[in-house]
Amino acid sequence: MMTSLIRVLPFLLVYMTLWYGIALWKKRNDLADVAWGPGFVLCAVLCAVQVTELSGRAKLLLLLALVWALRLSSYIFLRNWGKPEDFRYRKWRQEWGQSVIWRSYLQVFLLQGGILFLVGLPLWLGILHSDLSDWSIWDGLGLLIWVKGFLYESIGDAQMAQFRKKRASPHEVMRNGLWRYTRHPNYFGEALLWWGIFLISRAGGAPIWSGIGPLLITYLLVKVSGVPMLEKKYEGNAEYVDYQRRTSSFIPWFPRK
């Protein structure tokens, strides 16, 4: 199992290097976000072809990864189409100056490849280690959690896309739908669905340390590259400050009065 898992790493190196080459040509490091979802699917397939007989549980994990990746990558691609590079990557490009070429490779694409590998541990190990045992209540619970997370992410993204088309000003703040209960329903959904994948993997016998994946993505979204980085963009926006005061940052809850 460990040998099969290690084989994912050189594949990811090649995969992210190819995307880096495209990003260098297009001068768009935000292509790393488009590469995120398909990377999981390709690595999951690489794991699957190394297994003699795939369990129903492993096939389910493959299906969940495919559905999630197709939705997320197509959404990001269409959202960015015809627009300038995402403000976060553009800011780094300005800060890095002449060192942007090698820092983009190391700090965007290789780093993201490493994170992808760690976040995907329950997926890789769930496929490689899944036994042929019957379905259990943990599979059902994991699937329910995945579905809830997927709905939060996809509905939240759809609601925000519609809002951006209709808002009168770029300073206007989304407060309706799922965004009424959490300032980041898409991030909450992303973390939640990985916890669902972890539970399904554990039901099939994947080791407990595969929980590194959902722990890492939750931490990154809450403390590093998700909530903090995005909300920094709205510093000084009085309407957003009021929204922050009234609305839960991550876990959905009723608005404060």
Side-chain angles (χ1 to χ4, degrees):
M1 182 186 69
M2 292 307 297
T3 302
S4 299
L5 181 63
I6 295 294
R7 287 178 182 148
V8 173
L9 287 171
F11 176 84
L12 267 177
L13 176 63
V14 173
Y15 177 75
M16 296 310 291
T17 300
L18 287 173
W19 273 101
Y20 167 71
I22 299 172
L24 201 62
W25 171 43
K26 292 291 187 179
K27 295 183 179 180
R28 292 196 66 122
N29 283 338
D30 56 0
L31 287 175
D33 293 341
V34 179
W36 177 255
F40 284 95
V41 176
L42 293 174
C43 289
V45 170
L46 177 63
C47 291
V49 297
Q50 299 180 74
V51 177
T52 304
E53 184 179 2
L54 282 178
S55 67
R57 191 174 285 111
K59 293 175 183 177
L60 173 63
L61 289 170
L62 278 168
L63 177 62
L64 296 181
L66 178 62
V67 170
W68 163 77
L70 284 175
R71 202 253 7 136
L72 182 62
S73 293
S74 60
Y75 169 76
I76 293 173
F77 178 79
L78 293 173
R79 182 191 65 187
N80 294 347
W81 180 261
K83 296 178 183 176
E85 186 180 39
D86 183 277
F87 76 95
R88 292 164 290 188
Y89 294 96
R90 194 164 63 246
K91 183 174 181 291
W92 288 337
R93 185 181 295 278
Q94 293 167 352
E95 291 174 351
W96 292 343
Q98 294 183 347
S99 63
V100 66
I101 292 179
W102 65 267
R103 290 188 71 170
S104 294
Y105 185 54
L106 295 178
Q107 293 180 237
V108 176
F109 288 88
L110 286 192
L111 177 61
Q112 186 141 309
I115 293 172
L116 192 159
F117 175 77
L118 292 174
V119 170
L121 281 174
L123 181 58
W124 325 141
L125 293 168
I127 293 171
L128 291 169
H129 200 281
S130 183
D131 56 37
L132 300 174
S133 61
D134 293 335
W135 300 95
S136 73
I137 189 172
W138 295 108
D139 293 295
L141 180 60
L143 182 58
L144 283 175
I145 290 173
W146 184 92
V147 169
K148 182 175 181 179
F150 181 78
L151 289 174
Y152 258 89
E153 185 177 59
S154 55
I155 293 173
D157 281 341
Q159 289 175 341
M160 178 57 75
Q162 288 299 313
F163 169 75
R164 283 174 173 163
K165 290 178 182 178
K166 298 177 180 179
R167 63 182 175 182
S169 164
H171 300 291
E172 191 176 345
V173 176
M174 172 64 160
R175 296 173 180 261
N176 300 319
L178 296 179
W179 300 81
R180 181 171 183 263
Y181 303 100
T182 167
R183 302 200 299 271
H184 302 280
N186 48 350
Y187 291 159
F188 171 74
E190 175 78 4
L192 198 62
L193 63 84
W194 280 106
W195 283 107
I197 285 177
F198 169 69
L199 284 181
I200 297 171
S201 299
R202 279 290 290 160
I208 188 69
W209 54 267
S210 62
I212 292 171
L215 281 171
L216 177 60
I217 191 64
T218 303
Y219 175 77
L220 290 174
L221 290 171
V222 174
K223 297 294 186 181
V224 184
S225 60
V227 174
M229 191 174 289
L230 185 61
E231 296 206 337
K232 190 174 179 62
K233 179 182 178 181
Y234 296 101
E235 285 183 350
N237 183 337
E239 187 174 348
Y240 197 83
V241 171
D242 179 67
Y243 179 56
Q244 286 177 307
R245 183 177 62 83
R246 295 173 180 270
T247 312
S248 171
S249 172
F250 192 71
I251 298 175
W253 194 247
F254 296 102
R256 291 181 289 273
K257 295 182 180 179

